[in-house]
Amino acid sequence: MSAQSPVPRPLTDHPDRQFALRQYERRSSVYDAELAWFEPLRIAAIDALLLQPGCRVIDVGCGTGLSFAPLMERLGNEGGIVGIEQCPQMLDLARERIRRYGWHGIELIEAPVEQARLTELADAALFHFTHDILRSTAAIENVLGHLQPGARVVATGLQWASPWAWPVNLFVWSAALHSVSTLEGLDHPWSLLARYLPDLRVRPTWLGGVSMATGVWPGA
Ligand SMILES: C[S@@+](CC[C@H](N)C(=O)[O-])C[C@H]1O[C@@H](n2cnc3c(N)ncnc32)[C@H](O)[C@@H]1O
């Protein structure tokens, strides 16, 4: 195994930024095709944000910008997206997507979410398949600290199903191995978010192997 190889790896009990950077550097060229199966879930997550034209949304760990088109459809020309992404190769594809569609109003921040310099308050935040980020209190606090009180927050991603649903967990495990840097918290990926969003509701889907958590940021 080369020092660069993303799998197999030690299972750390916290997100490993360097590992995640290498993981997505390698995966960037095939990422959009791999995510095709999950597109209905993306639309459900974006619908759950209840966006209005003119809103401003933080797309946390925006990757290649797969959420931009459905977000822009709902936000219109007056709205805005702030995409935060630490992996340069993923972000290059997001930039290319913006150029191709000629969108205005999308700001990209190349940084770990924990350190992203957000300047304006947003009306909503989307964490779509961002397990590493959801397991970082500093990242969550940076995003929530830049939301308007009453902002909606939606977090989707892999989650361990019930132990008896072992085929589902086999899928979760194999998908997690090449998409997250830690399995910590995979039983309740949204648990850190729940500390800040008292009304957080969690809906399991995909036979319990994926969850969608929806809540409202009450303000500091
Ligand atoms: C599974 S992808 C999801 C991308 C996008 N949200 C989507 O729905 O397609 C996870 C993304 O989170 C990014 N990421 C992981 N940890 C991060 C961190 N601490 N700060 C910023 N981006 C991070 C990865 O580089 C990767 O692009």
Side-chain angles (χ1 to χ4, degrees), residues 103-192:
W103 288 316
H104 297 282
I106 304 182
E107 178 193 352
L108 296 180
I109 301 178
E110 184 174 328
V113 175
E114 293 84 342
Q115 294 162 22
R117 285 172 173 249
L118 295 157
T119 49
E120 286 178 50
L121 295 187
D123 306 292
L126 176 66
F127 296 77
H128 190 62
F129 282 97
T130 56
H131 180 74
D132 281 12
I133 298 170
L134 284 175
R135 301 316 297 167
S136 162
T137 302
I140 290 176
E141 288 191 352
N142 193 22
V143 173
L144 297 184
H146 290 89
L147 292 181
Q148 304 274 10
R152 286 184 74 83
V153 178
V154 174
T156 52
L158 297 169
Q159 171 170 318
W160 291 132
S162 304
W164 55 262
W166 62 265
V168 179
N169 284 331
L170 199 57
F171 157 77
V172 172
W173 179 75
S174 62
L177 274 189
H178 72 290
S179 59
V180 305
S181 71
T182 178
L183 298 185
E184 186 279 324
L186 212 57
D187 47 351
H188 299 106
W190 33 264
S191 63
L192 298 181

Coordinates of all heavy atoms in Angstrom, one line a residue, residues 103-192:
W103 N -23.8 30.9 -14.0 CA -24.5 31.4 -12.8 C -23.8 32.6 -12.2 O -22.5 32.6 -12.2 CB -24.5 30.3 -11.7 CG -25.5 29.2 -12.0 CD1 -26.8 29.3 -12.5 CD2 -25.2 27.8 -11.9 NE1 -27.3 28.0 -12.6 CE2 -26.4 27.1 -12.3 CE3 -24.1 27.0 -11.4 CZ2 -26.5 25.7 -12.2 CZ3 -24.2 25.7 -11.4 CH2 -25.4 25.0 -11.8
H104 N -24.5 33.5 -11.6 CA -24.0 34.6 -10.8 C -24.5 34.3 -9.4 O -25.5 33.7 -9.2 CB -24.4 35.9 -11.3 CG -23.9 36.2 -12.7 ND1 -22.6 36.5 -13.0 CD2 -24.5 36.1 -13.9 CE1 -22.5 36.6 -14.3 NE2 -23.6 36.4 -14.9
G105 N -23.8 34.9 -8.4 CA -24.3 34.8 -7.0 C -23.8 33.6 -6.3 O -24.4 33.3 -5.2
I106 N -22.9 32.9 -6.8 CA -22.3 31.7 -6.1 C -20.9 32.1 -5.7 O -20.0 32.4 -6.5 CB -22.3 30.4 -6.9 CG1 -23.7 30.1 -7.4 CG2 -21.7 29.3 -6.1 CD1 -23.8 28.8 -8.2
E107 N -20.6 32.1 -4.4 CA -19.3 32.4 -3.9 C -18.7 31.1 -3.4 O -19.3 30.3 -2.7 CB -19.4 33.4 -2.7 CG -18.1 33.7 -2.0 CD -18.3 34.4 -0.7 OE1 -19.5 34.8 -0.3 OE2 -17.3 34.6 0.1
L108 N -17.4 30.8 -3.8 CA -16.8 29.6 -3.4 C -15.6 30.0 -2.4 O -14.9 30.9 -2.7 CB -16.2 28.8 -4.6 CG -17.2 28.3 -5.6 CD1 -16.5 27.6 -6.7 CD2 -18.3 27.4 -4.9
I109 N -15.6 29.2 -1.3 CA -14.5 29.4 -0.3 C -13.7 28.1 -0.3 O -14.3 27.1 0.1 CB -15.1 29.8 1.1 CG1 -16.0 31.0 1.0 CG2 -14.0 29.9 2.1 CD1 -16.6 31.4 2.3
E110 N -12.4 28.2 -0.6 CA -11.6 27.0 -0.6 C -10.9 27.0 0.8 O -9.9 27.7 1.1 CB -10.5 27.1 -1.7 CG -9.7 25.8 -1.7 CD -8.7 25.8 -2.9 OE1 -9.1 26.3 -4.0 OE2 -7.6 25.2 -2.7
A111 N -11.5 26.2 1.7 CA -10.9 26.2 3.1 C -11.6 25.0 3.8 O -12.7 24.6 3.4 CB -11.3 27.5 3.8
P112 N -11.0 24.6 4.9 CA -11.8 23.7 5.8 C -12.9 24.5 6.4 O -12.7 25.7 6.7 CB -10.7 23.3 6.9 CG -9.4 23.8 6.4 CD -9.6 24.8 5.4
V113 N -14.0 23.9 6.6 CA -15.2 24.6 7.1 C -14.9 25.2 8.4 O -15.4 26.4 8.7 CB -16.4 23.6 7.2 CG1 -17.6 24.3 7.8 CG2 -16.8 23.1 5.9
E114 N -14.1 24.6 9.2 CA -13.7 25.1 10.5 C -13.1 26.5 10.4 O -13.2 27.3 11.3 CB -12.7 24.2 11.2 CG -13.2 22.8 11.6 CD -13.2 21.8 10.4 OE1 -13.1 22.2 9.2 OE2 -13.2 20.6 10.7
Q115 N -12.4 26.8 9.3 CA -11.6 28.0 9.1 C -12.2 29.0 8.1 O -11.7 30.0 7.8 CB -10.2 27.7 8.7 CG -9.4 27.0 9.8 CD -8.2 26.3 9.3 OE1 -7.6 26.7 8.2 NE2 -7.7 25.3 10.0
A116 N -13.3 28.6 7.5 CA -13.8 29.4 6.4 C -14.3 30.8 6.9 O -14.9 30.9 7.9 CB -15.0 28.7 5.8
R117 N -13.9 31.8 6.1 CA -14.2 33.2 6.6 C -15.6 33.5 5.9 O -15.6 33.9 4.7 CB -13.2 34.2 6.1 CG -11.9 34.1 6.9 CD -10.9 34.9 6.3 NE -9.7 35.0 7.2 CZ -9.4 36.1 7.9 NH1 -10.0 37.2 7.8 NH2 -8.3 36.1 8.7
L118 N -16.6 33.4 6.7 CA -17.9 33.8 6.2 C -18.2 35.2 6.6 O -17.9 35.6 7.7 CB -19.0 32.8 6.8 CG -18.8 31.4 6.3 CD1 -19.4 30.4 7.3 CD2 -19.4 31.2 5.0
T119 N -18.8 36.0 5.6 CA -18.9 37.4 5.9 C -20.3 37.8 6.2 O -20.6 38.7 7.0 CB -18.4 38.2 4.7 OG1 -19.0 37.7 3.5 CG2 -16.9 38.1 4.6
E120 N -21.3 37.2 5.5 CA -22.7 37.6 5.7 C -23.5 36.4 6.4 O -23.1 35.3 6.3 CB -23.4 37.8 4.4 CG -22.9 39.1 3.7 CD -23.6 39.3 2.4 OE1 -24.8 39.1 2.3 OE2 -22.9 39.5 1.4
L121 N -24.6 36.8 7.0 CA -25.5 35.8 7.6 C -26.3 35.1 6.5 O -26.8 35.8 5.6 CB -26.4 36.4 8.6 CG -25.7 36.9 9.9 CD1 -26.8 37.3 10.9 CD2 -24.8 35.9 10.5
A122 N -26.5 33.8 6.5 CA -27.3 33.1 5.5 C -28.6 32.7 6.1 O -28.8 32.7 7.3 CB -26.5 31.9 5.0
D123 N -29.5 32.3 5.2 CA -30.9 31.9 5.6 C -31.1 30.4 5.8 O -32.1 29.9 6.2 CB -31.9 32.4 4.6 CG -31.8 33.9 4.3 OD1 -32.1 34.7 5.2 OD2 -31.3 34.2 3.2
A124 N -30.1 29.7 5.3 CA -30.2 28.2 5.4 C -28.8 27.6 5.2 O -27.9 28.2 4.7 CB -31.1 27.7 4.3
A125 N -28.7 26.3 5.7 CA -27.4 25.6 5.5 C -27.7 24.2 5.1 O -28.6 23.5 5.7 CB -26.6 25.7 6.8
L126 N -27.0 23.7 4.1 CA -27.1 22.3 3.6 C -25.8 21.6 3.9 O -24.7 22.0 3.5 CB -27.4 22.4 2.1 CG -27.5 21.0 1.4 CD1 -28.7 20.2 1.9 CD2 -27.5 21.2 -0.1
F127 N -26.0 20.4 4.7 CA -24.8 19.5 4.9 C -25.2 18.2 4.1 O -25.9 17.4 4.7 CB -24.6 19.2 6.3 CG -24.3 20.3 7.3 CD1 -25.2 21.3 7.7 CD2 -23.0 20.5 7.7 CE1 -24.9 22.3 8.6 CE2 -22.6 21.5 8.6 CZ -23.6 22.4 9.0
H128 N -24.9 18.1 2.9 CA -25.3 16.9 2.1 C -24.1 16.0 2.0 O -23.2 16.3 1.3 CB -25.9 17.3 0.8 CG -26.6 16.2 0.0 ND1 -27.7 15.6 0.5 CD2 -26.3 15.6 -1.2 CE1 -28.1 14.6 -0.4 NE2 -27.2 14.6 -1.4
F129 N -24.2 14.8 2.6 CA -23.1 13.8 2.6 C -21.8 14.4 3.1 O -20.8 14.5 2.3 CB -23.0 13.2 1.2 CG -24.0 12.1 1.0 CD1 -25.2 12.4 0.3 CD2 -23.9 10.8 1.6 CE1 -26.2 11.4 0.2 CE2 -24.9 9.9 1.4 CZ -26.0 10.2 0.7
T130 N -21.8 14.9 4.3 CA -20.6 15.6 4.8 C -20.3 15.1 6.2 O -20.3 15.8 7.2 CB -20.9 17.1 4.9 OG1 -22.1 17.4 5.6 CG2 -21.0 17.8 3.5
H131 N -20.2 13.8 6.3 CA -20.0 13.1 7.7 C -18.8 13.8 8.4 O -19.0 14.1 9.6 CB -19.8 11.6 7.5 CG -19.6 11.0 8.8 ND1 -20.6 10.7 9.7 CD2 -18.4 10.5 9.4 CE1 -20.1 10.1 10.8 NE2 -18.8 10.0 10.7
D132 N -17.6 13.9 7.8 CA -16.5 14.4 8.5 C -16.8 15.8 9.1 O -16.4 16.1 10.2 CB -15.3 14.6 7.5 CG -14.6 13.3 7.3 OD1 -15.1 12.2 7.6 OD2 -13.5 13.4 6.7
I133 N -17.5 16.6 8.3 CA -17.8 18.0 8.8 C -18.8 18.0 10.0 O -18.6 18.7 10.9 CB -18.4 18.8 7.6 CG1 -17.3 18.9 6.5 CG2 -18.8 20.2 8.1 CD1 -17.8 19.5 5.2
L134 N -19.8 17.1 9.9 CA -20.8 16.9 11.0 C -20.1 16.4 12.2 O -20.7 16.5 13.3 CB -21.9 16.0 10.5 CG -22.9 16.6 9.5 CD1 -23.9 15.5 9.1 CD2 -23.7 17.8 10.1
R135 N -18.9 15.8 12.2 CA -18.3 15.3 13.4 C -17.3 16.3 13.9 O -16.4 16.0 14.7 CB -17.6 14.0 13.1 CG -18.5 12.9 12.6 CD -19.8 12.8 13.4 NE -19.7 12.5 14.8 CZ -20.7 12.6 15.7 NH1 -21.8 13.1 15.4 NH2 -20.5 12.3 17.0
S136 N -17.3 17.5 13.4 CA -16.4 18.6 13.9 C -17.2 19.7 14.5 O -18.0 20.5 13.8 CB -15.6 19.1 12.7 OG -15.1 20.4 13.0
T137 N -17.1 19.9 15.8 CA -17.8 20.9 16.5 C -17.4 22.3 16.0 O -18.2 23.2 15.8 CB -17.5 20.9 18.0 OG1 -17.9 19.6 18.5 CG2 -18.3 21.9 18.8
A138 N -16.1 22.5 15.7 CA -15.6 23.8 15.2 C -16.3 24.1 13.9 O -16.7 25.3 13.6 CB -14.1 23.8 15.1
A139 N -16.4 23.1 13.0 CA -17.1 23.4 11.7 C -18.5 23.7 11.9 O -19.0 24.7 11.3 CB -16.9 22.1 10.8
I140 N -19.2 23.0 12.7 CA -20.7 23.2 12.9 C -20.8 24.6 13.5 O -21.7 25.4 13.1 CB -21.3 22.2 13.9 CG1 -21.3 20.8 13.2 CG2 -22.6 22.6 14.4 CD1 -21.8 19.7 14.0
E141 N -20.0 25.0 14.5 CA -20.2 26.3 15.1 C -19.9 27.4 14.1 O -20.5 28.5 14.2 CB -19.2 26.4 16.4 CG -19.8 25.5 17.5 CD -19.1 25.8 18.8 OE1 -18.1 26.5 18.8 OE2 -19.5 25.2 19.8
N142 N -18.9 27.2 13.2 CA -18.6 28.3 12.3 C -19.8 28.5 11.3 O -20.2 29.6 11.0 CB -17.3 28.0 11.5 CG -16.8 29.2 10.7 OD1 -17.2 30.3 11.0 ND2 -16.1 28.9 9.6
V143 N -20.4 27.4 10.9 CA -21.6 27.6 10.0 C -22.8 28.2 10.8 O -23.4 29.2 10.3 CB -22.0 26.2 9.4 CG1 -23.3 26.3 8.6 CG2 -20.8 25.7 8.5
L144 N -23.1 27.6 11.9 CA -24.3 28.0 12.6 C -24.1 29.5 13.0 O -25.1 30.3 13.1 CB -24.6 27.2 13.8 CG -25.0 25.7 13.5 CD1 -25.3 24.9 14.8 CD2 -26.1 25.6 12.5
G145 N -22.9 29.9 13.4 CA -22.6 31.3 13.8 C -22.8 32.3 12.7 O -22.8 33.5 12.9
H146 N -23.0 31.8 11.4 CA -23.2 32.7 10.3 C -24.6 32.4 9.7 O -24.8 32.6 8.5 CB -22.1 32.5 9.3 CG -20.8 33.1 9.8 ND1 -19.9 32.3 10.5 CD2 -20.3 34.3 9.8 CE1 -18.9 33.0 10.9 NE2 -19.1 34.3 10.5
L147 N -25.5 32.0 10.5 CA -26.9 31.9 10.1 C -27.8 32.9 10.8 O -27.6 33.2 12.0 CB -27.4 30.5 10.4 CG -26.8 29.3 9.6 CD1 -27.4 28.0 10.0 CD2 -26.9 29.5 8.1
Q148 N -28.8 33.3 10.1 CA -29.9 34.1 10.7 C -30.6 33.3 11.7 O -30.9 32.1 11.4 CB -30.9 34.6 9.7 CG -30.4 35.3 8.5 CD -30.3 36.8 8.8 OE1 -30.4 37.2 9.9 NE2 -30.0 37.6 7.7
P149 N -31.1 33.8 12.8 CA -32.0 33.0 13.7 C -33.2 32.6 12.9 O -33.7 33.4 12.1 CB -32.4 34.0 14.8 CG -31.3 35.1 14.8 CD -30.8 35.2 13.4
G150 N -33.6 31.4 13.0 CA -34.8 30.9 12.3 C -34.3 30.2 11.0 O -35.2 29.6 10.2
A151 N -33.0 30.2 10.7 CA -32.5 29.5 9.4 C -32.7 28.0 9.5 O -32.6 27.4 10.6 CB -31.0 29.8 9.3
R152 N -33.1 27.5 8.4 CA -33.3 26.0 8.3 C -32.0 25.3 8.0 O -31.1 25.8 7.2 CB -34.3 25.6 7.3 CG -35.7 26.0 7.8 CD -36.8 25.5 6.8 NE -37.0 24.1 6.8 CZ -37.7 23.4 7.6 NH1 -38.4 24.1 8.6 NH2 -37.9 22.1 7.5
V153 N -31.8 24.2 8.6 CA -30.6 23.4 8.5 C -30.9 22.0 8.1 O -31.8 21.4 8.8 CB -29.7 23.4 9.8 CG1 -28.5 22.5 9.6 CG2 -29.3 24.8 10.2
V154 N -30.3 21.4 7.1 CA -30.6 20.0 6.7 C -29.3 19.3 6.5 O -28.3 19.8 5.9 CB -31.4 20.0 5.3 CG1 -31.6 18.5 4.9 CG2 -32.8 20.6 5.5
A155 N -29.2 18.1 7.1 CA -28.0 17.3 7.1 C -28.4 15.9 6.7 O -29.2 15.2 7.3 CB -27.3 17.3 8.4
T156 N -27.8 15.4 5.6 CA -28.1 14.0 5.1 C -26.8 13.3 5.1 O -25.7 13.9 5.0 CB -28.6 14.0 3.7 OG1 -27.7 14.8 2.9 CG2 -30.0 14.6 3.6
G157 N -26.9 12.0 5.1 CA -25.6 11.2 5.0 C -25.8 9.7 5.4 O -26.9 9.3 5.9
L158 N -24.7 9.0 5.3 CA -24.7 7.6 5.7 C -24.9 7.5 7.2 O -24.5 8.3 7.9 CB -23.4 6.9 5.3 CG -23.0 6.9 3.8 CD1 -21.6 6.5 3.7 CD2 -24.0 5.9 3.1
Q159 N -25.6 6.4 7.6 CA -25.8 6.1 9.0 C -25.9 4.6 9.2 O -26.5 3.9 8.3 CB -27.1 6.8 9.4 CG -27.5 6.4 10.8 CD -28.7 7.3 11.3 OE1 -28.7 8.5 11.1 NE2 -29.7 6.6 11.9
W160 N -25.3 4.0 10.2 CA -25.5 2.6 10.5 C -27.0 2.3 10.6 O -27.7 3.0 11.4 CB -24.8 2.2 11.8 CG -23.3 2.2 11.8 CD1 -22.5 2.7 12.8 CD2 -22.5 1.6 10.8 NE1 -21.2 2.5 12.5 CE2 -21.1 1.8 11.3 CE3 -22.6 0.9 9.6 CZ2 -20.0 1.4 10.6 CZ3 -21.5 0.5 8.9 CH2 -20.2 0.7 9.4
A161 N -27.5 1.3 10.0 CA -28.8 0.8 10.2 C -28.9 -0.1 11.4 O -27.9 -0.3 12.1 CB -29.3 0.0 8.9
S162 N -30.1 -0.7 11.7 CA -30.2 -1.6 12.8 C -29.2 -2.8 12.6 O -29.0 -3.2 11.5 CB -31.6 -2.2 12.9 OG -32.5 -1.2 13.0
P163 N -28.7 -3.4 13.7 CA -27.7 -4.4 13.5 C -28.2 -5.6 12.7 O -27.4 -6.2 12.0 CB -27.4 -4.9 15.0 CG -27.8 -3.7 15.8 CD -28.9 -3.0 15.1
W164 N -29.5 -5.9 12.8 CA -30.0 -7.0 12.0 C -30.0 -6.8 10.5 O -30.0 -7.7 9.7 CB -31.4 -7.4 12.5 CG -32.4 -6.3 12.5 CD1 -32.8 -5.5 13.6 CD2 -33.1 -5.8 11.4 NE1 -33.7 -4.6 13.2 CE2 -33.9 -4.7 11.8 CE3 -33.2 -6.1 10.0 CZ2 -34.7 -4.0 11.0 CZ3 -34.1 -5.4 9.2 CH2 -34.8 -4.3 9.7
A165 N -30.0 -5.5 10.1 CA -30.0 -5.1 8.7 C -28.6 -5.2 8.2 O -28.1 -4.2 7.6 CB -30.6 -3.8 8.5
W166 N -27.9 -6.3 8.3 CA -26.5 -6.3 8.0 C -26.2 -6.1 6.5 O -25.1 -5.5 6.2 CB -25.8 -7.6 8.5 CG -26.4 -8.9 7.9 CD1 -27.4 -9.7 8.4 CD2 -26.0 -9.5 6.7 NE1 -27.6 -10.7 7.6 CE2 -26.8 -10.6 6.5 CE3 -25.1 -9.2 5.7 CZ2 -26.7 -11.4 5.4 CZ3 -25.0 -10.0 4.6 CH2 -25.8 -11.1 4.4
P167 N -27.1 -6.5 5.6 CA -26.7 -6.1 4.2 C -26.7 -4.6 4.0 O -25.9 -4.1 3.2 CB -27.8 -6.8 3.4 CG -28.4 -7.8 4.2 CD -28.3 -7.3 5.6
V168 N -27.6 -3.9 4.7 CA -27.6 -2.5 4.5 C -26.3 -1.9 5.1 O -25.6 -1.0 4.6 CB -28.8 -1.8 5.3 CG1 -28.8 -0.3 5.2 CG2 -30.1 -2.4 4.7
N169 N -25.9 -2.5 6.3 CA -24.7 -2.0 6.9 C -23.4 -2.3 6.1 O -22.4 -1.6 6.2 CB -24.6 -2.5 8.4 CG -25.5 -1.8 9.3 OD1 -25.8 -0.6 9.0 ND2 -26.0 -2.4 10.3
L170 N -23.5 -3.4 5.4 CA -22.4 -3.7 4.5 C -22.2 -2.6 3.4 O -21.1 -2.2 3.1 CB -22.7 -5.1 3.8 CG -21.5 -5.8 3.2 CD1 -20.4 -6.1 4.2 CD2 -21.9 -7.1 2.6
F171 N -23.4 -2.2 2.9 CA -23.4 -1.1 1.9 C -22.8 0.2 2.6 O -22.0 0.9 2.0 CB -24.8 -0.8 1.4 CG -25.0 0.5 0.9 CD1 -24.5 0.9 -0.4 CD2 -25.7 1.5 1.6 CE1 -24.7 2.2 -0.8 CE2 -25.9 2.8 1.2 CZ -25.4 3.1 0.0
V172 N -23.3 0.5 3.8 CA -22.9 1.7 4.5 C -21.4 1.7 4.7 O -20.7 2.6 4.5 CB -23.6 1.8 5.9 CG1 -23.0 3.0 6.7 CG2 -25.1 2.1 5.7
W173 N -20.9 0.5 5.2 CA -19.5 0.3 5.5 C -18.6 0.5 4.2 O -17.7 1.3 4.2 CB -19.2 -1.0 6.1 CG -17.8 -1.3 6.4 CD1 -17.1 -0.8 7.4 CD2 -16.9 -2.2 5.6 NE1 -15.8 -1.3 7.4 CE2 -15.7 -2.2 6.3 CE3 -17.1 -3.0 4.5 CZ2 -14.6 -2.9 5.8 CZ3 -16.0 -3.7 4.0 CH2 -14.8 -3.7 4.7
S174 N -19.1 -0.1 3.1 CA -18.3 0.0 1.9 C -18.3 1.4 1.3 O -17.3 1.9 0.8 CB -18.7 -1.0 0.8 OG -20.0 -0.8 0.5
A175 N -19.5 2.1 1.4 CA -19.6 3.5 0.9 C -18.8 4.4 1.8 O -18.1 5.3 1.3 CB -21.0 3.9 0.9
A176 N -18.8 4.1 3.1 CA -18.1 5.0 4.1 C -16.6 4.9 3.9 O -15.8 5.9 4.0 CB -18.4 4.7 5.5
L177 N -16.1 3.7 3.5 CA -14.7 3.5 3.4 C -14.0 4.4 2.4 O -12.9 4.8 2.5 CB -14.3 2.1 3.0 CG -14.2 1.1 4.2 CD1 -13.7 -0.2 3.7 CD2 -13.4 1.6 5.3
H178 N -14.8 4.8 1.3 CA -14.2 5.7 0.4 C -14.8 7.1 0.4 O -14.6 7.9 -0.5 CB -14.0 5.1 -1.0 CG -15.3 5.0 -1.8 ND1 -16.3 4.1 -1.4 CD2 -15.8 5.7 -2.9 CE1 -17.3 4.3 -2.3 NE2 -17.0 5.2 -3.1
S179 N -15.6 7.4 1.5 CA -16.2 8.8 1.5 C -16.0 9.5 2.8 O -16.3 10.7 2.8 CB -17.6 8.7 1.1 OG -18.3 7.9 2.0
V180 N -15.5 8.8 3.8 CA -15.3 9.5 5.1 C -14.0 9.2 5.6 O -13.4 8.2 5.3 CB -16.4 9.2 6.1 CG1 -17.8 9.5 5.6 CG2 -16.3 7.7 6.6
S181 N -13.4 10.0 6.6 CA -12.1 9.7 7.1 C -12.3 9.1 8.5 O -11.3 8.6 9.1 CB -11.3 10.9 7.2 OG -11.7 11.8 8.2
T182 N -13.5 9.1 9.1 CA -13.7 8.4 10.4 C -15.1 7.8 10.4 O -16.0 8.3 9.9 CB -13.6 9.4 11.5 OG1 -13.8 8.8 12.8 CG2 -14.5 10.6 11.4
L183 N -15.1 6.6 11.0 CA -16.5 6.0 11.2 C -17.1 6.5 12.5 O -18.2 6.1 12.8 CB -16.3 4.5 11.2 CG -15.8 3.8 10.0 CD1 -15.8 2.3 10.1 CD2 -16.6 4.3 8.7
E184 N -16.4 7.3 13.3 CA -16.9 7.8 14.6 C -18.2 8.5 14.3 O -18.3 9.3 13.4 CB -15.9 8.7 15.2 CG -16.3 9.2 16.6 CD -17.3 10.4 16.6 OE1 -17.2 11.2 15.7 OE2 -18.2 10.4 17.5
G185 N -19.2 8.2 15.1 CA -20.5 8.9 15.0 C -21.4 8.4 13.9 O -22.5 9.0 13.6
L186 N -21.0 7.3 13.2 CA -21.9 6.9 12.1 C -23.2 6.3 12.6 O -24.1 6.0 11.8 CB -21.1 5.9 11.3 CG -21.4 5.8 9.8 CD1 -21.2 7.2 9.1 CD2 -20.5 4.8 9.0
D187 N -23.3 6.0 13.9 CA -24.6 5.6 14.4 C -25.6 6.7 14.6 O -26.8 6.6 14.3 CB -24.4 4.9 15.8 CG -23.5 5.6 16.7 OD1 -22.9 6.6 16.3 OD2 -23.5 5.3 17.9
H188 N -25.0 7.9 14.9 CA -25.9 9.2 15.0 C -25.1 10.3 14.4 O -24.6 11.2 15.1 CB -26.3 9.5 16.4 CG -27.0 8.4 17.1 ND1 -26.5 7.5 18.0 CD2 -28.3 8.0 16.9 CE1 -27.4 6.7 18.4 NE2 -28.5 6.9 17.7
P189 N -25.0 10.4 13.1 CA -24.1 11.4 12.5 C -24.5 12.8 12.8 O -23.6 13.7 12.8 CB -24.2 11.2 11.0 CG -25.0 9.9 10.8 CD -25.6 9.6 12.1
W190 N -25.7 13.0 13.1 CA -26.3 14.4 13.4 C -26.2 14.8 14.9 O -26.7 15.8 15.3 CB -27.8 14.4 12.9 CG -28.4 13.0 13.1 CD1 -28.5 12.0 12.2 CD2 -28.9 12.5 14.4 NE1 -29.1 10.9 12.8 CE2 -29.3 11.2 14.1 CE3 -29.0 13.0 15.6 CZ2 -29.9 10.4 15.1 CZ3 -29.6 12.2 16.6 CH2 -30.0 10.9 16.3
S191 N -25.6 13.9 15.7 CA -25.7 14.1 17.2 C -25.0 15.5 17.6 O -25.6 16.1 18.5 CB -25.1 13.0 17.9 OG -23.7 12.8 17.7
L192 N -24.0 15.9 17.0 CA -23.4 17.2 17.4 C -24.3 18.3 17.0 O -24.5 19.3 17.7 CB -22.0 17.4 16.8 CG -20.9 16.4 17.2 CD1 -19.6 16.7 16.5 CD2 -20.7 16.3 18.7

